Amino acid sequence: MAQLDTREKLAILADAAKYDASCASSGTAKRDSRDGKGIGSTEGMGICHAYAPDGRCISLLKILLTNSCIFDCHYCINRKSSNVRRARFTAQEVVNLTLAFYRRNYIEGLFLSSGIIRSSDYTMEQIVEVARSLREDHDFRGYIHLKTIPDADPELVRLAGVHADRVSINVELPTVGGLRRLAPEKDASRIEGAMADVKTAIDDRKDAAKRYRSAPGFAPAGQSTQMIVGADAATDRDIVGRAATLYDRFRLRRVYYSAFSPIPDASAVLPLQRPPLLREHRLYQSDWLMRFYDYRPDEVAAAADEATGMLPLDIDPKLAWALKFRQHFPVDVNRAPREMLLRVPGLGVKAVDRIIATRRWRRLRLEDIARLTVSIAKLRPFLIAADWRPVGLSDRADVAPLVKPRARQLELFA
Ligand code: SF4
């Protein structure tokens, strides 16, 4: 490996880390000011954002320890057979960088992942050493998110949880078949075994904390995982089902969906095109429905097209479900239980809570609901208010065009 200075390593290892989703991503126009014109950038690597349990958005230095790897996962730019420029930080270098950026107020924490060097245990030891040194040698109290390696010794994974706020283990692909085909050195049962160990350690820590005030902490921000979308043939229905199982079995805080992006020098087994970014967005919306809107996984899956198993791209999954199951509507905003109000397209959790609080004192009219939502036109066919009843509208076969967002002309050179 060529001798590189810290700045060069940082450029390589921050760029290599961008494929790890640690925060929900979304598409936007590419802009930067590297040519000296303007200010700001939508493309910079190296700093990502996460949400603390109290809702604060915190900036994290997001890097890999190394982009060298002994594995050859087809979808990964850092795989053994890839032709990328390699770099490697020592644990001490990552500690120094984190502290330096923290002192300059650029970041409030660290997100650290790594390719696998020598062995899973060796790599995990280096990752743990970064977190240990930050916590014990420097009394670092900022946020630490560590990606852990499922094959590593469980004791090393446990130590990662002792020092980190959040640990994550990537399931990588939604189906076992996809994992076998695209990441042949990885093993779905070992990944799930590591997740189960982390869950047990988090539960043990909660029990211990009830008995002893001084019980040592363990990953207080829980564990998360990432699934790559569009690299294999898994449908949205498969992905929703897999995410639901992971939430249920391992009590994950988050499942991140990362739209596969074709990489330079890609393996021939991968698709040539990335899936639409909107697909990733629709999956995040379906995830939201399960976590905050009380939809069962099979209900979210039912919003998908029966033949293809894919969620529609032109409307959100909540609206797709409402259009498909019209027999549940209209919902009376003055009488319906909370779980039915949450099903009304266009009504968010806060709006539903406001409706429930207000209707204790008076009957709600359509204009009251209009104040709580962006577009009352989307809601009209689905609700009843004191002065509104969608006579004829809720039974109309062609109600979809009335509530779908208007199609926008795409920009040719966007
Ligand atoms: S183990 Fe991780 S870094 Fe290595 S090739 Fe697979 S996905 Fe990439």
Side-chain angles (χ1 to χ4, degrees):
M1 205 180 284
Q3 285 294 321
L4 302 171
D5 65 26
T6 306
R7 194 180 283 259
E8 288 171 311
K9 288 189 205 175
L10 190 57
I12 295 171
L13 294 171
D15 188 65
K18 71 184 175 198
Y19 299 98
D20 254 310
S22 54
C23 38
S25 54
S26 56
T28 184
K30 292 184 174 186
R31 292 185 301 268
D32 71 56
S33 51
R34 272 175 291 188
D35 58 1
K37 291 183 197 149
I39 186 168
S41 162
T42 58
E43 294 182 72
M45 311 307 161
I47 297 203
C48 73
H49 298 91
Y51 285 93
D54 60 4
R56 274 177 316 126
C57 179
I58 49 180
S59 317
L60 306 177
L61 171 63
K62 182 178 177 184
I63 49 173
L64 299 189
L65 191 64
T66 177
N67 64 342
S68 297
C69 191
I70 56 174
F71 281 16
D72 209 30
C73 308
H74 289 287
Y75 50 81
C76 178
I77 194 163
N78 303 320
R79 69 190 189 281
K80 185 171 59 180
S81 58
S82 166
N83 205 11
V84 290
R85 208 169 166 216
R86 308 285 178 173
R88 179 179 163 185
F89 279 131
T90 62
Q92 190 58 50
E93 283 174 317
V94 176
V95 170
N96 293 345
L97 271 177
T98 308
L99 294 173
F101 282 137
Y102 195 85
R103 287 191 183 112
R104 286 186 199 131
N105 218 9
Y106 293 163
I107 56 159
E108 288 145 303
L110 170 70
F111 172 96
L112 184 64
S113 182
S114 183
I116 300 173
I117 28 171
R118 280 199 227 167
S119 68
S120 300
D121 282 354
Y122 176 78
T123 311
M124 199 65 224
E125 276 166 22
Q126 303 297 304
I127 291 173
V128 169
E129 174 55 18
V130 171
R132 186 212 61 76
S133 176
L134 280 169
R135 293 285 194 234
E136 293 181 358
D137 302 340
H138 302 279
D139 199 12
F140 180 72
R141 299 177 186 203
Y143 186 89
I144 299 179
H145 179 162
L146 297 181
K147 281 264 152 154
T148 60
I149 300 169
D151 291 335
D153 187 326
E155 176 57 16
L156 288 167
V157 177
R158 191 193 67 78
L159 282 174
V162 168
H163 299 301
D165 293 276
R166 170 168 287 183
V167 291
S168 51
I169 301 167
N170 287 353
V171 292
E172 308 287 14
L173 291 155
T175 62
V176 175
L179 189 72
R180 212 176 288 135
R181 199 166 76 88
L182 298 179
E185 288 130 319
K186 293 192 172 173
D187 182 300
S189 57
R190 282 205 301 268
I191 292 171
E192 293 197 358
M195 285 176 155
D197 289 346
V198 170
K199 175 185 169 288
T200 306
I202 291 172
D203 290 347
D204 288 350
R205 146 73 195 164
K206 278 188 192 146
D207 286 348
K210 284 180 199 149
R211 278 176 278 139
Y212 318 106
R213 284 181 61 195
S214 57
F218 188 92
Q223 65 169 327
S224 59
T225 193
Q226 171 181 324
M227 261 190 261
I228 299 167
V229 175
D232 66 355
T235 64
D236 290 346
R237 198 184 289 138
D238 297 330
I239 294 171
V240 166
R242 177 81 166 127
T245 308
L246 293 171
Y247 278 123
D248 191 42
R249 286 184 59 197
F250 308 116
R251 237 169 292 130
L252 300 185
R253 285 287 174 90
R254 284 299 300 269
V255 174
Y256 291 100
Y257 307 93
S258 176
F260 158 73
S261 43
I263 47 179
D265 208 11
S267 155
V269 297
L270 290 173
L272 292 173
Q273 281 199 322
R274 66 177 299 158
L277 257 184
L278 206 48
R279 185 176 172 201
E280 181 187 292
H281 182 59
R282 296 294 180 229
L283 285 166
Y284 275 115
Q285 288 177 320
S286 66
D287 195 272
W288 212 253
L289 292 184
M290 290 191 286
R291 293 193 301 137
F292 301 109
Y293 287 76
D294 296 337
Y295 281 72
R296 294 191 317 268
D298 59 307
E299 290 178 313
V300 177
D305 181 90
E306 264 159 46
T308 63
M310 303 300 262
L311 292 166
L313 293 178
D314 58 341
I315 49 173
D316 65 75
K318 190 176 174 189
L319 180 56
W321 188 88
L323 288 172
K324 212 165 173 181
F325 299 100
R326 299 264 299 276
Q327 67 273 25
H328 296 293
F329 300 94
V331 165
D332 187 340
V333 290
N334 288 300
R335 304 162 66 118
R338 186 172 186 274
E339 59 270 24
M340 277 320 295
L341 289 173
L342 284 172
R343 307 252 158 166
V344 177
L347 282 187
V349 174
K350 273 191 190 161
V352 167
D353 290 342
R354 290 271 298 277
I355 288 171
I356 291 171
T358 312
R359 75 186 185 184
R360 288 198 194 109
W361 310 106
R362 63 184 175 83
R363 286 172 59 72
L364 291 158
R365 301 160 65 87
L366 196 60
E367 65 182 23
D368 297 319
I369 307 301
R371 272 189 230 111
L372 299 174
T373 179
V374 178
S375 162
I376 192 68
K378 187 173 169 183
L379 275 77
R380 278 177 208 262
F382 301 105
L383 58 80
I384 296 170
D387 59 343
W388 170 254
R389 190 168 278 271
V391 186
L393 201 51
S394 31
D395 293 333
R396 262 174 71 164
D398 60 344
V399 76
L402 303 177
V403 294
K404 279 185 180 181
R406 285 214 188 105
R408 275 186 301 151
Q409 174 72 49
L410 293 178
E411 289 175 48
L412 197 54
F413 301 105

PDB file of all heavy atoms in Angstrom, residues 64 66-80 114-116 172 183 186, ligand 1:
ATOM      1  N   LEU A  64     -14.169   4.795   7.186  1.00  0.00           N
ATOM      2  CA  LEU A  64     -13.762   3.409   7.355  1.00  0.00           C
ATOM      3  C   LEU A  64     -12.372   3.403   7.985  1.00  0.00           C
ATOM      4  O   LEU A  64     -11.565   4.305   7.758  1.00  0.00           O
ATOM      5  CB  LEU A  64     -13.663   2.691   6.009  1.00  0.00           C
ATOM      6  CG  LEU A  64     -14.905   2.571   5.134  1.00  0.00           C
ATOM      7  CD1 LEU A  64     -14.615   1.640   3.956  1.00  0.00           C
ATOM      8  CD2 LEU A  64     -16.096   2.062   5.914  1.00  0.00           C
ATOM      9  N   THR A  66     -10.339   0.955   7.202  1.00  0.00           N
ATOM     10  CA  THR A  66      -9.636   0.653   5.961  1.00  0.00           C
ATOM     11  C   THR A  66     -10.634   0.250   4.884  1.00  0.00           C
ATOM     12  O   THR A  66     -11.709  -0.268   5.199  1.00  0.00           O
ATOM     13  CB  THR A  66      -8.614  -0.483   6.128  1.00  0.00           C
ATOM     14  OG1 THR A  66      -8.035  -0.751   4.849  1.00  0.00           O
ATOM     15  CG2 THR A  66      -9.253  -1.755   6.641  1.00  0.00           C
ATOM     16  N   ASN A  67     -10.273   0.492   3.634  1.00  0.00           N
ATOM     17  CA  ASN A  67     -11.126  -0.005   2.544  1.00  0.00           C
ATOM     18  C   ASN A  67     -10.501  -1.230   1.886  1.00  0.00           C
ATOM     19  O   ASN A  67     -10.921  -1.652   0.818  1.00  0.00           O
ATOM     20  CB  ASN A  67     -11.419   1.089   1.508  1.00  0.00           C
ATOM     21  CG  ASN A  67     -10.177   1.572   0.798  1.00  0.00           C
ATOM     22  OD1 ASN A  67      -9.062   1.360   1.270  1.00  0.00           O
ATOM     23  ND2 ASN A  67     -10.352   2.227  -0.337  1.00  0.00           N
ATOM     24  N   SER A  68      -9.471  -1.800   2.528  1.00  0.00           N
ATOM     25  CA  SER A  68      -8.966  -3.106   2.072  1.00  0.00           C
ATOM     26  C   SER A  68      -9.876  -4.175   2.659  1.00  0.00           C
ATOM     27  O   SER A  68     -10.388  -4.003   3.768  1.00  0.00           O
ATOM     28  CB  SER A  68      -7.549  -3.349   2.587  1.00  0.00           C
ATOM     29  OG  SER A  68      -6.684  -2.395   2.052  1.00  0.00           O
ATOM     30  N   CYS A  69     -10.056  -5.269   1.925  1.00  0.00           N
ATOM     31  CA  CYS A  69     -10.919  -6.318   2.467  1.00  0.00           C
ATOM     32  C   CYS A  69     -10.527  -7.667   1.886  1.00  0.00           C
ATOM     33  O   CYS A  69     -10.147  -7.762   0.716  1.00  0.00           O
ATOM     34  CB  CYS A  69     -12.384  -6.021   2.148  1.00  0.00           C
ATOM     35  SG  CYS A  69     -13.502  -7.097   3.061  1.00  0.00           S
ATOM     36  N   ILE A  70     -10.600  -8.691   2.738  1.00  0.00           N
ATOM     37  CA  ILE A  70     -10.277 -10.036   2.255  1.00  0.00           C
ATOM     38  C   ILE A  70     -11.516 -10.726   1.673  1.00  0.00           C
ATOM     39  O   ILE A  70     -11.423 -11.813   1.137  1.00  0.00           O
ATOM     40  CB  ILE A  70      -9.652 -10.905   3.377  1.00  0.00           C
ATOM     41  CG1 ILE A  70     -10.587 -10.956   4.590  1.00  0.00           C
ATOM     42  CG2 ILE A  70      -8.281 -10.379   3.751  1.00  0.00           C
ATOM     43  CD1 ILE A  70     -10.095 -11.914   5.690  1.00  0.00           C
ATOM     44  N   PHE A  71     -12.690 -10.104   1.811  1.00  0.00           N
ATOM     45  CA  PHE A  71     -13.915 -10.681   1.254  1.00  0.00           C
ATOM     46  C   PHE A  71     -14.163 -10.115  -0.145  1.00  0.00           C
ATOM     47  O   PHE A  71     -13.595  -9.090  -0.503  1.00  0.00           O
ATOM     48  CB  PHE A  71     -15.121 -10.372   2.143  1.00  0.00           C
ATOM     49  CG  PHE A  71     -15.239 -11.249   3.361  1.00  0.00           C
ATOM     50  CD1 PHE A  71     -14.167 -12.007   3.806  1.00  0.00           C
ATOM     51  CD2 PHE A  71     -16.424 -11.315   4.079  1.00  0.00           C
ATOM     52  CE1 PHE A  71     -14.277 -12.811   4.934  1.00  0.00           C
ATOM     53  CE2 PHE A  71     -16.545 -12.123   5.207  1.00  0.00           C
ATOM     54  CZ  PHE A  71     -15.469 -12.865   5.638  1.00  0.00           C
ATOM     55  N   ASP A  72     -15.065 -10.765  -0.856  1.00  0.00           N
ATOM     56  CA  ASP A  72     -15.301 -10.349  -2.234  1.00  0.00           C
ATOM     57  C   ASP A  72     -16.804 -10.219  -2.520  1.00  0.00           C
ATOM     58  O   ASP A  72     -17.320 -10.838  -3.453  1.00  0.00           O
ATOM     59  CB  ASP A  72     -14.651 -11.374  -3.180  1.00  0.00           C
ATOM     60  CG  ASP A  72     -14.227 -10.704  -4.492  1.00  0.00           C
ATOM     61  OD1 ASP A  72     -13.908  -9.501  -4.472  1.00  0.00           O
ATOM     62  OD2 ASP A  72     -14.218 -11.397  -5.517  1.00  0.00           O
ATOM     63  N   CYS A  73     -17.485  -9.422  -1.703  1.00  0.00           N
ATOM     64  CA  CYS A  73     -18.933  -9.237  -1.903  1.00  0.00           C
ATOM     65  C   CYS A  73     -19.130  -8.470  -3.213  1.00  0.00           C
ATOM     66  O   CYS A  73     -18.573  -7.383  -3.379  1.00  0.00           O
ATOM     67  CB  CYS A  73     -19.531  -8.458  -0.741  1.00  0.00           C
ATOM     68  SG  CYS A  73     -19.112  -9.151   0.866  1.00  0.00           S
ATOM     69  N   HIS A  74     -19.932  -9.019  -4.094  1.00  0.00           N
ATOM     70  CA  HIS A  74     -20.042  -8.470  -5.448  1.00  0.00           C
ATOM     71  C   HIS A  74     -20.474  -7.011  -5.492  1.00  0.00           C
ATOM     72  O   HIS A  74     -20.077  -6.265  -6.368  1.00  0.00           O
ATOM     73  CB  HIS A  74     -21.041  -9.297  -6.267  1.00  0.00           C
ATOM     74  CG  HIS A  74     -20.515 -10.653  -6.621  1.00  0.00           C
ATOM     75  ND1 HIS A  74     -19.536 -10.848  -7.562  1.00  0.00           N
ATOM     76  CD2 HIS A  74     -20.825 -11.874  -6.152  1.00  0.00           C
ATOM     77  CE1 HIS A  74     -19.274 -12.133  -7.667  1.00  0.00           C
ATOM     78  NE2 HIS A  74     -20.042 -12.780  -6.818  1.00  0.00           N
ATOM     79  N   TYR A  75     -21.361  -6.611  -4.560  1.00  0.00           N
ATOM     80  CA  TYR A  75     -21.945  -5.274  -4.621  1.00  0.00           C
ATOM     81  C   TYR A  75     -21.056  -4.207  -3.991  1.00  0.00           C
ATOM     82  O   TYR A  75     -21.410  -3.030  -3.964  1.00  0.00           O
ATOM     83  CB  TYR A  75     -23.302  -5.275  -3.876  1.00  0.00           C
ATOM     84  CG  TYR A  75     -23.195  -5.895  -2.498  1.00  0.00           C
ATOM     85  CD1 TYR A  75     -22.725  -5.173  -1.428  1.00  0.00           C
ATOM     86  CD2 TYR A  75     -23.509  -7.240  -2.307  1.00  0.00           C
ATOM     87  CE1 TYR A  75     -22.590  -5.755  -0.185  1.00  0.00           C
ATOM     88  CE2 TYR A  75     -23.373  -7.827  -1.077  1.00  0.00           C
ATOM     89  CZ  TYR A  75     -22.910  -7.082  -0.014  1.00  0.00           C
ATOM     90  OH  TYR A  75     -22.750  -7.670   1.208  1.00  0.00           O
ATOM     91  N   CYS A  76     -19.895  -4.599  -3.480  1.00  0.00           N
ATOM     92  CA  CYS A  76     -19.115  -3.665  -2.659  1.00  0.00           C
ATOM     93  C   CYS A  76     -17.891  -3.142  -3.416  1.00  0.00           C
ATOM     94  O   CYS A  76     -17.110  -3.917  -3.976  1.00  0.00           O
ATOM     95  CB  CYS A  76     -18.682  -4.364  -1.370  1.00  0.00           C
ATOM     96  SG  CYS A  76     -17.678  -3.310  -0.332  1.00  0.00           S
ATOM     97  N   ILE A  77     -17.727  -1.847  -3.375  1.00  0.00           N
ATOM     98  CA  ILE A  77     -16.604  -1.233  -4.076  1.00  0.00           C
ATOM     99  C   ILE A  77     -15.266  -1.590  -3.422  1.00  0.00           C
ATOM    100  O   ILE A  77     -14.210  -1.512  -4.033  1.00  0.00           O
ATOM    101  CB  ILE A  77     -16.802   0.299  -4.149  1.00  0.00           C
ATOM    102  CG1 ILE A  77     -15.850   0.890  -5.152  1.00  0.00           C
ATOM    103  CG2 ILE A  77     -16.652   0.957  -2.794  1.00  0.00           C
ATOM    104  CD1 ILE A  77     -16.191   2.257  -5.610  1.00  0.00           C
ATOM    105  N   ASN A  78     -15.309  -1.991  -2.172  1.00  0.00           N
ATOM    106  CA  ASN A  78     -14.069  -2.303  -1.446  1.00  0.00           C
ATOM    107  C   ASN A  78     -13.688  -3.778  -1.508  1.00  0.00           C
ATOM    108  O   ASN A  78     -12.759  -4.211  -0.832  1.00  0.00           O
ATOM    109  CB  ASN A  78     -14.213  -1.885   0.028  1.00  0.00           C
ATOM    110  CG  ASN A  78     -14.540  -0.428   0.140  1.00  0.00           C
ATOM    111  OD1 ASN A  78     -14.004   0.378  -0.594  1.00  0.00           O
ATOM    112  ND2 ASN A  78     -15.448  -0.082   1.045  1.00  0.00           N
ATOM    113  N   ARG A  79     -14.418  -4.552  -2.286  1.00  0.00           N
ATOM    114  CA  ARG A  79     -14.163  -5.992  -2.306  1.00  0.00           C
ATOM    115  C   ARG A  79     -12.742  -6.283  -2.792  1.00  0.00           C
ATOM    116  O   ARG A  79     -12.126  -5.467  -3.486  1.00  0.00           O
ATOM    117  CB  ARG A  79     -15.197  -6.702  -3.179  1.00  0.00           C
ATOM    118  CG  ARG A  79     -15.065  -6.416  -4.636  1.00  0.00           C
ATOM    119  CD  ARG A  79     -16.280  -6.967  -5.391  1.00  0.00           C
ATOM    120  NE  ARG A  79     -16.070  -6.884  -6.816  1.00  0.00           N
ATOM    121  CZ  ARG A  79     -16.224  -5.756  -7.514  1.00  0.00           C
ATOM    122  NH1 ARG A  79     -16.554  -4.638  -6.889  1.00  0.00           N
ATOM    123  NH2 ARG A  79     -15.999  -5.747  -8.804  1.00  0.00           N
ATOM    124  N   LYS A  80     -12.285  -7.475  -2.443  1.00  0.00           N
ATOM    125  CA  LYS A  80     -10.898  -7.884  -2.727  1.00  0.00           C
ATOM    126  C   LYS A  80     -10.514  -7.654  -4.186  1.00  0.00           C
ATOM    127  O   LYS A  80      -9.428  -7.176  -4.496  1.00  0.00           O
ATOM    128  CB  LYS A  80     -10.791  -9.372  -2.364  1.00  0.00           C
ATOM    129  CG  LYS A  80      -9.432  -9.965  -2.473  1.00  0.00           C
ATOM    130  CD  LYS A  80      -9.423 -11.366  -1.873  1.00  0.00           C
ATOM    131  CE  LYS A  80     -10.410 -12.307  -2.564  1.00  0.00           C
ATOM    132  NZ  LYS A  80     -10.410 -13.660  -2.001  1.00  0.00           N
ATOM    133  N   SER A 114     -15.492  -0.758   8.655  1.00  0.00           N
ATOM    134  CA  SER A 114     -14.202  -1.171   8.101  1.00  0.00           C
ATOM    135  C   SER A 114     -14.355  -2.351   7.154  1.00  0.00           C
ATOM    136  O   SER A 114     -15.262  -3.173   7.312  1.00  0.00           O
ATOM    137  CB  SER A 114     -13.265  -1.592   9.247  1.00  0.00           C
ATOM    138  OG  SER A 114     -12.003  -1.930   8.714  1.00  0.00           O
ATOM    139  N   GLY A 115     -13.457  -2.417   6.180  1.00  0.00           N
ATOM    140  CA  GLY A 115     -13.278  -3.659   5.444  1.00  0.00           C
ATOM    141  C   GLY A 115     -12.587  -4.652   6.383  1.00  0.00           C
ATOM    142  O   GLY A 115     -12.134  -4.275   7.470  1.00  0.00           O
ATOM    143  N   ILE A 116     -12.538  -5.895   5.969  1.00  0.00           N
ATOM    144  CA  ILE A 116     -11.958  -6.911   6.873  1.00  0.00           C
ATOM    145  C   ILE A 116     -10.495  -7.149   6.489  1.00  0.00           C
ATOM    146  O   ILE A 116     -10.202  -7.527   5.351  1.00  0.00           O
ATOM    147  CB  ILE A 116     -12.779  -8.211   6.806  1.00  0.00           C
ATOM    148  CG1 ILE A 116     -14.215  -7.900   7.224  1.00  0.00           C
ATOM    149  CG2 ILE A 116     -12.171  -9.289   7.679  1.00  0.00           C
ATOM    150  CD1 ILE A 116     -15.185  -9.037   7.052  1.00  0.00           C
ATOM    151  N   GLU A 172     -27.248  -6.918   4.934  1.00  0.00           N
ATOM    152  CA  GLU A 172     -26.820  -6.705   3.546  1.00  0.00           C
ATOM    153  C   GLU A 172     -27.932  -6.913   2.517  1.00  0.00           C
ATOM    154  O   GLU A 172     -28.292  -6.007   1.818  1.00  0.00           O
ATOM    155  CB  GLU A 172     -25.611  -7.581   3.163  1.00  0.00           C
ATOM    156  CG  GLU A 172     -24.429  -7.475   4.124  1.00  0.00           C
ATOM    157  CD  GLU A 172     -23.670  -6.165   4.010  1.00  0.00           C
ATOM    158  OE1 GLU A 172     -24.189  -5.229   3.385  1.00  0.00           O
ATOM    159  OE2 GLU A 172     -22.583  -6.061   4.582  1.00  0.00           O
ATOM    160  N   ALA A 183     -22.783 -12.331  -1.748  1.00  0.00           N
ATOM    161  CA  ALA A 183     -21.752 -12.208  -0.700  1.00  0.00           C
ATOM    162  C   ALA A 183     -21.456 -13.615  -0.186  1.00  0.00           C
ATOM    163  O   ALA A 183     -21.783 -13.960   0.947  1.00  0.00           O
ATOM    164  CB  ALA A 183     -22.244 -11.308   0.426  1.00  0.00           C
ATOM    165  N   LYS A 186     -20.301 -14.509   3.315  1.00  0.00           N
ATOM    166  CA  LYS A 186     -21.107 -14.152   4.484  1.00  0.00           C
ATOM    167  C   LYS A 186     -22.160 -15.218   4.724  1.00  0.00           C
ATOM    168  O   LYS A 186     -22.556 -15.917   3.807  1.00  0.00           O
ATOM    169  CB  LYS A 186     -21.747 -12.778   4.284  1.00  0.00           C
ATOM    170  CG  LYS A 186     -20.692 -11.689   4.253  1.00  0.00           C
ATOM    171  CD  LYS A 186     -21.294 -10.329   4.356  1.00  0.00           C
ATOM    172  CE  LYS A 186     -20.155  -9.329   4.527  1.00  0.00           C
ATOM    173  NZ  LYS A 186     -20.609  -7.957   4.474  1.00  0.00           N
TER     174      LYS A 186
HETATM  175  S1  SF4 B   1     -17.004  -7.642   3.918  1.00  0.00           S
HETATM  176 FE1  SF4 B   1     -17.788  -5.553   3.858  1.00  0.00          FE
HETATM  177  S2  SF4 B   1     -16.078  -4.323   3.078  1.00  0.00           S
HETATM  178 FE2  SF4 B   1     -15.595  -6.470   2.624  1.00  0.00          FE
HETATM  179  S3  SF4 B   1     -16.315  -6.796   0.543  1.00  0.00           S
HETATM  180 FE3  SF4 B   1     -17.979  -7.423   1.914  1.00  0.00          FE
HETATM  181  S4  SF4 B   1     -19.272  -5.591   2.170  1.00  0.00           S
HETATM  182 FE4  SF4 B   1     -17.283  -4.928   1.306  1.00  0.00          FE
END
